[in-house]
Amino acid sequence: SVAAMELRSGYALGMRDAQRPELTPQHVEQLRKGVILVFTRWTALQLAIANQWGGQDSEEKARVLVDKVVCWLTETKEVYADELEDLLDNELIDDWNTQAEDESPGQVAGLVTRVFWETARNEGTLVQELEGAQTEEMRRLGAVLDRSVQEQLWQERERA
C-alpha cells in the first residue's frame, strides 16, 4: 500500500523542516484525530489494551498516550520520527511492561510525523486516507481512544 511504502521512507519525507509552524485549535483537533487513527492500526497497542497488559486501566493508559503524543507534537521544538519512536517505545515498556519486537513503534512514529507535517501545511490527505480505510474494529478502538467520546458516554450513563 501507499501508506506502507511511504512509512519505510518516513525519515526521508522532508520532515525535518526548520520552521516550526504555528498550530491553531483546528490543527490540534486534526492532529488528535490523526494520532487516534494511526493508533487504531497499531497491533501492539491493540493487544496491550485487549489483554490489559497495563492492568485494569489499560484503556485509560491508551488515552493518556494519545494525549501525551498530541502534547509532544504541539510542544516539542522539532518533530522527528525517531524521537517520537523513542517516546512510544518507553511508554510501552513503562505502562504496559511490553516491548514491541517488530518495527511498529518506528512505523507508527513515521505515520504520526507525516500527519503532523501535513496538518501544519493545512493538508489532510493522510488523515482522510486513514479514515476511509477504517475497519469496524478500528472504529471501535478509535472510540475507546477518543477521550471526548468516552466523556460523552460517561455523562450519558450518569443521566440514565
Side-chain angles (χ1 to χ4, degrees):
S1 78
V2 175
M5 238 169 49
E6 286 176 334
L7 260 182
R8 281 186 214 101
S9 60
Y11 295 100
L13 278 175
M15 294 181 180
R16 293 180 177 260
D17 299 15
Q19 207 57 49
R20 165 139 197 126
E22 276 305 307
L23 298 175
T24 65
Q26 288 82 359
H27 284 134
V28 177
E29 241 348 274
Q30 180 168 306
L31 274 182
R32 177 173 298 281
K33 184 179 182 178
V35 168
I36 289 171
L37 284 166
V38 172
F39 278 13
T40 62
R41 299 167 162 264
W42 190 10
T43 311
L45 187 63
Q46 290 166 5
L47 290 170
I49 294 169
N51 298 311
Q52 295 202 323
W53 293 343
Q56 295 293 306
D57 58 347
S58 288
E59 287 185 357
E60 177 57 23
K61 283 181 178 176
R63 285 189 285 275
V64 168
L65 183 57
V66 170
D67 294 339
K68 278 183 182 173
V69 170
V70 172
C71 192
W72 184 84
L73 290 168
T74 55
E75 291 179 1
T76 192
K77 284 200 177 16
E78 296 173 277
V79 174
Y80 294 138
D82 48 352
E83 288 179 17
L84 181 55
E85 180 181 357
D86 291 343
L87 183 143
L88 295 173
D89 265 330
N90 292 333
E91 290 293 323
L92 280 181
I93 293 166
D94 294 347
D95 278 345
W96 282 285
N97 208 16
T98 188
Q99 211 161 0
E101 297 300 325
D102 53 11
E103 300 296 309
S104 67
Q107 293 174 339
V108 168
L111 269 179
V112 167
T113 307
R114 267 190 61 207
V115 167
F116 172 82
W117 286 112
E118 278 193 11
T119 301
R121 290 194 289 264
N122 296 310
E123 296 164 18
T125 320
L126 181 57
V127 171
Q128 284 169 345
E129 273 177 37
L130 291 170
E131 202 168 24
Q134 275 187 304
T135 62
E136 196 46 52
E137 203 179 346
M138 287 174 188
R139 278 197 190 86
R140 276 199 299 274
L141 181 56
V144 166
L145 294 176
D146 192 331
R147 193 173 291 288
S148 61
V149 170
Q150 291 305 309
E151 283 168 2
Q152 235 172 336
L153 290 171
W154 183 73
Q155 284 168 353
E156 283 165 21
R157 279 196 295 270
E158 290 288 296
R159 275 188 236 115

